[in-house]
Amino acid sequence: NLVVFKSNGYLQGRTMTTAITGQCHCGRVKWSAELPHKVELNCHCTMCRSLSGADYSSWLVIPSKQFTLLSGKEFISEYQATDKFSKGFCSKCGSTVHCINNEKFPQHVYLAKGNITSKYTKRPDIQVYTQDKAEWLTLDDRIPVYDT
């Protein structure tokens, strides 16, 4: 369970305290987020793969209070995938704006790393749900696996 991992000493003592920005593909929805983040991960679960249409999803998880929607609120549509997981996306271009996972990280926002527009070079902290990975995918062995 990821909730156990977030209290791991590996995540304590981060010094990155800058802001990042991001936007959807068409630019109607823009956001900013204050760092440090809680965890950065690649998720291989079947739901993330299905919702993104990709081999896996790369997320930056931050406390909700550190997320600011700068513009485009009227363009955000929500999809409630489960009773505890929702995806916010731009209704014009379909880009993921954010996800909420109240099972794993209550009061946090998952930001899709592919939509970060500012310089950001940090690698993921962990990979999760690797048992559900796409058959054709080879895991990056430089990223620790944390399976539930």
Side-chain angles (χ1 to χ4, degrees):
N1 188 324
L2 284 178
V3 174
V4 173
F5 183 82
K6 72 181 187 176
S7 64
N8 184 315
Y10 178 74
L11 296 176
Q12 296 173 359
R14 298 208 169 171
T15 57
M16 188 183 295
T17 56
T18 188
I20 57 170
T21 56
Q23 68 179 43
C24 65
H25 179 74
C26 71
R28 287 181 172 92
V29 179
K30 295 181 180 179
W31 54 263
S32 69
E34 293 292 324
L35 300 175
H37 62 282
K38 177 58 78 176
V39 68
E40 185 173 337
L41 57 92
N42 288 345
C43 184
H44 298 272
C45 80
T46 54
M47 184 167 55
C48 279
R49 290 176 44 218
S50 175
L51 287 172
S52 70
D55 298 348
Y56 57 91
S57 294
S58 294
W59 301 108
L60 186 64
V61 182
I62 63 163
S64 300
K65 65 184 178 188
Q66 293 172 213
F67 174 76
T68 303
L69 187 60
L70 301 173
S71 64
K73 182 178 181 179
E74 67 275 18
F75 295 107
I76 297 177
S77 293
E78 294 283 335
Y79 172 65
Q80 193 72 39
T82 70
D83 62 332
K84 295 190 183 237
F85 187 92
S86 65
K87 173 184 175 179
F89 61 95
C90 175
S91 62
K92 295 297 180 185
C93 68
S95 291
T96 299
V97 175
H98 66 277
C99 288
I100 306 295
N101 185 337
N102 283 322
E103 179 180 347
K104 302 295 182 186
F105 287 106
Q107 300 174 1
H108 286 73
V109 176
Y110 283 50
L111 298 174
K113 284 186 60 185
N115 291 339
I116 297 172
T117 55
S118 53
K119 183 175 180 176
Y120 186 79
T121 59
K122 185 165 176 330
R123 296 181 53 76
D125 299 313
I126 57 172
Q127 305 180 74
V128 296
Y129 293 100
T130 57
Q131 71 274 14
D132 296 334
K133 77 171 184 64
E135 292 292 324
W136 57 86
L137 184 70
T138 301
L139 295 176
D140 184 339
D141 60 5
R142 296 171 296 173
I143 304 170
V145 171
Y146 183 82
D147 277 328
T148 57

